[in-house]
Amino acid sequence: MNTRSSLLGLAVAAAVAAILSDARWDAPADAATREPMFDRQTVAKGAQLAAIGNCAACHTQPGGKPYAGGRPLKTMFGTIYSTNITPDVETGIVAWSQGDFLRAMHDGTDRAGRNLYPAFPYDHFTRVTDDDVNAIYAFVMTRDPVHAVVPPNRLTFPMNLRPLLSAWKMLFFDRGVYRPDPTHGAQWNRGAYLVDGLGHCGACHTPRNSLGAEEKRQDLGGGEAEGWHATALDASSPTPLPWTAEQMFKYLRQGWDDSHGTAAGPMKPVSHDLSEVNEEDVRAIAAYLMWTMKQRHLRPASPAETLGGAAQTGEGAVIFEGACASCHGGSSASTPSTHTVPLGLTTSLNAPDPRNAIHIVLEGIWPESGESGAWMPGFEGALSADQLATLLAYLRAHFTSQPTWSDIASHLRETMQRKDRQ
Ligand code: HEC
Ligand code: HEC
Ligand code: HEC
């Protein structure tokens, strides 16, 4: 189905939805139920939950005031700006009752009853319990009010029409709070609740269809995020070494694990937020991911593969020796430096496409401002496009046992163009 015919289908479905539409979505919100007072414990719980939900990451512009919105989110239909969710009188959500807020999180509807775009991941937040949403409400409503008007969305017709989203919801939105699975224990259920609900991991890690909805049959099967590949977290995980729960816990909480490498790109703010969350919740997420990934037959990589066994010849090897080997252990005989992961173990080199490796080599790796952590220089401008392509082909062939990347040049072009537009 191409995009044009799917849009037409959507328009027809919208007409149907308009007739069948649930009155609840259009009903005016009840402003009388707002609770002005919040106890400290609830606010503290809300702070932890807001970190798991990455509310600040999306609702804060680079360099802007927290939760004041205005961050542009690029979707396949255009740019959507996150809203100001501070309790500001004119530009924020101070007038929102607890019920209004719950409706936004559970139904994807704003205070006036209009549909919200699923760039706000309410298809996941609908799984969050009322109690947890109310704690987040208490946290959000006790932030500093910020007067900030958000720019209007720039979306292509007909996706700029909010009523059409009723059709989208009818087709793809599975409303409802998480129901615990009695065949699993408490930790598994906590992990599933956080991954599928507030953590909205699938928003990046699940592939999407032509209308931007997640393919539920491929839950966590690998997806897209800001020009990066969000690694599969199901049985198709490309990791050459099986994860253990402890390694996963470290990766999620510290953004780094010495058998799997660094959380870079769009994963970096996620692990940064998880560093503020209580330990049991991160352990529950890690335990649940062990379950989602476990069915596959994992083939531990041999040392020759992970450290590079073949002789190093050719132009790629020369570039690597000159630019990378000082930190990434050049020859097959040397042990990798204690500060870098053997390149053959990293998911970026084992991934189905070279995008993440391209991003990392061009941009480097930087700690969050004010923190210490892994550092690697970016090579944008230092290496030509041809040199980069040669280097990437060499890395893939030399350090992994995966098939060659066939499309390095086109991915390089796309990534560079994307960066130019930003
Ligand atoms: C992936 C990015 C993203 C994340 C994460 C996110 N939001 Fe949003 N949110 C948005 C966008 C974009 C909109 C605007 C949608 C629209 O205009 O239809 C929005 C809208 C909202 C609205 C409706 C506000 C209004 O004025 O209509 C509320 C409330 C909200 N978000 C709360 C939250 C909370 C609480 C969290 C954390 C639990 C959160 N959001 C996490 C992107 C995000
Ligand atoms: C905003 C998009 C986004 C969200 C949300 C997100 N991730 Fe990621 N994640 C990524 C990207 C991109 C990568 C690849 C990063 C890299 O190669 O350094 C990644 C990598 C990972 C990896 C490493 C996998 C491997 O085998 O190397 C794990 C584990 C992971 N994410 C878990 C999670 C969990 C758990 C959540 C939800 C709590 C989550 N992610 C939410 C984008 C996201
Ligand atoms: C100054 C030291 C330094 C240099 C030079 C350097 N790197 Fe890195 N690199 C690091 C560190 C530190 C990390 C993060 C820790 C890790 O993941 O191993 C990293 C990570 C990586 C990763 C990602 C690993 C992951 O976790 O996904 C790749 C791929 C990579 N480097 C490739 C290169 C290439 C190719 C070059 C040469 C063009 C290079 N690096 C040069 C220090 C360096």
Side-chain angles (χ1 to χ4, degrees):
M1 188 157 78
N2 66 28
T3 308
R4 186 178 294 268
S5 70
S6 42
L7 289 179
L8 193 70
L10 188 64
V12 173
V16 177
I19 296 161
L20 304 177
S21 85
D22 185 340
R24 191 186 57 228
W25 283 346
D26 305 318
D30 174 12
T33 51
R34 190 168 162 244
E35 273 134 280
M37 300 296 282
F38 305 105
D39 66 272
R40 233 196 242 172
Q41 235 180 332
T42 310
V43 173
K45 178 180 164 190
Q48 296 253 324
L49 294 168
I52 299 177
N54 309 129
C55 317
C58 272
H59 283 276
T60 310
Q61 284 194 54
K65 297 238 172 67
Y67 305 101
R71 183 177 154 195
L73 296 168
K74 297 208 173 80
T75 73
M76 58 176 99
F77 304 112
T79 303
I80 300 180
Y81 290 89
S82 64
T83 51
N84 182 344
I85 56 169
T86 70
D88 181 57
V89 177
E90 279 170 33
T91 61
I93 61 167
V94 76
W96 288 48
S97 68
Q98 191 169 278
D100 297 334
F101 190 81
L102 192 69
R103 209 156 61 118
M105 294 282 282
H106 278 175
D107 295 341
T109 310
D110 76 3
R111 183 159 178 264
R114 288 175 310 187
N115 288 316
L116 292 166
Y117 287 99
F120 167 42
Y122 57 82
D123 49 337
H124 290 276
F125 294 164
T126 188
R127 302 273 174 270
V128 182
T129 62
D130 291 18
D131 263 9
D132 282 357
V133 172
N134 293 343
I136 298 172
Y137 176 73
F139 171 73
V140 166
M141 285 302 186
T142 48
R143 296 310 89 201
D144 289 337
V146 179
H147 186 92
V149 180
V150 166
N153 294 334
R154 294 196 311 265
L155 293 168
T156 51
F157 177 82
M159 294 316 277
N160 56 343
L161 304 175
R162 287 189 186 265
L164 273 187
L165 291 168
S166 298
W168 191 92
K169 284 176 167 176
M170 228 172 54
L171 292 170
F172 304 119
F173 180 41
D174 172 24
R175 190 189 178 283
V177 168
Y178 178 76
R179 279 191 302 271
D181 179 343
T183 63
H184 290 279
Q187 193 189 43
W188 185 97
N189 273 295
R190 181 70 183 165
Y193 170 70
L194 293 175
V195 166
D196 191 30
L198 207 46
H200 65 280
C201 313
C204 294
H205 286 278
T206 300
R208 291 179 187 267
N209 66 19
S210 60
L211 289 172
E214 289 172 31
E215 297 277 12
K216 285 298 172 200
R217 269 168 304 178
Q218 285 167 265
D219 193 32
L220 301 178
E224 302 283 316
E226 301 157 42
W228 290 65
H229 173 70
T231 322
L233 302 175
D234 67 354
S236 67
S237 158
T239 184
L241 256 196
W243 286 87
T244 67
E246 185 62 29
Q247 290 165 349
M248 182 59 82
F249 170 74
K250 276 173 62 190
Y251 176 90
L252 293 173
R253 209 173 158 82
Q254 311 172 354
W256 192 75
D257 164 67
D258 57 13
S259 316
H260 296 274
T262 305
M267 189 58 199
K268 193 168 147 177
V270 176
S271 70
H272 179 75
D273 279 350
L274 289 176
S275 71
E276 293 164 12
V277 171
N278 70 58
E279 181 173 335
E280 299 85 82
D281 276 349
V282 184
R283 288 208 182 274
I285 292 174
Y288 177 68
L289 290 184
M290 290 303 99
W291 182 85
T292 64
M293 290 168 127
K294 78 163 184 253
Q295 283 96 345
R296 83 202 202 94
H297 173 70
L298 285 162
R299 182 189 56 85
S302 75
E305 281 163 19
T306 59
L307 298 178
Q312 305 197 37
T313 51
E315 200 196 331
V318 173
I319 302 171
F320 183 80
E321 282 297 332
C324 325
S326 57
C327 297
H328 287 289
S331 75
S332 55
S334 78
T335 351
S337 129
T338 46
H339 300 295
T340 55
V341 175
L343 282 174
L345 292 182
T346 65
T347 331
S348 33
L349 293 189
N350 284 284
D353 68 59
R355 278 178 295 169
N356 295 2
I358 291 172
H359 277 288
I360 287 168
V361 175
L362 290 178
E363 294 150 29
I365 290 178
W366 308 90
E368 293 276 327
S369 53
E371 290 175 20
S372 61
W375 174 83
M376 160 173 158
F379 289 87
E380 188 164 15
L383 296 171
S384 71
D386 283 350
Q387 284 175 317
L388 283 167
T390 306
L391 174 66
L392 287 158
Y394 164 78
L395 295 173
R396 175 79 163 181
H398 186 72
F399 290 101
T400 81
S401 51
Q402 305 278 357
T404 40
W405 285 318
S406 54
D407 43 7
I408 295 176
S410 63
H411 278 299
L412 260 172
R413 248 193 325 275
E414 241 168 63
T415 308
M416 305 276 230
Q417 278 165 5
R418 212 187 147 87
K419 287 164 75 72
D420 286 345
R421 280 200 305 271
Q422 278 169 0

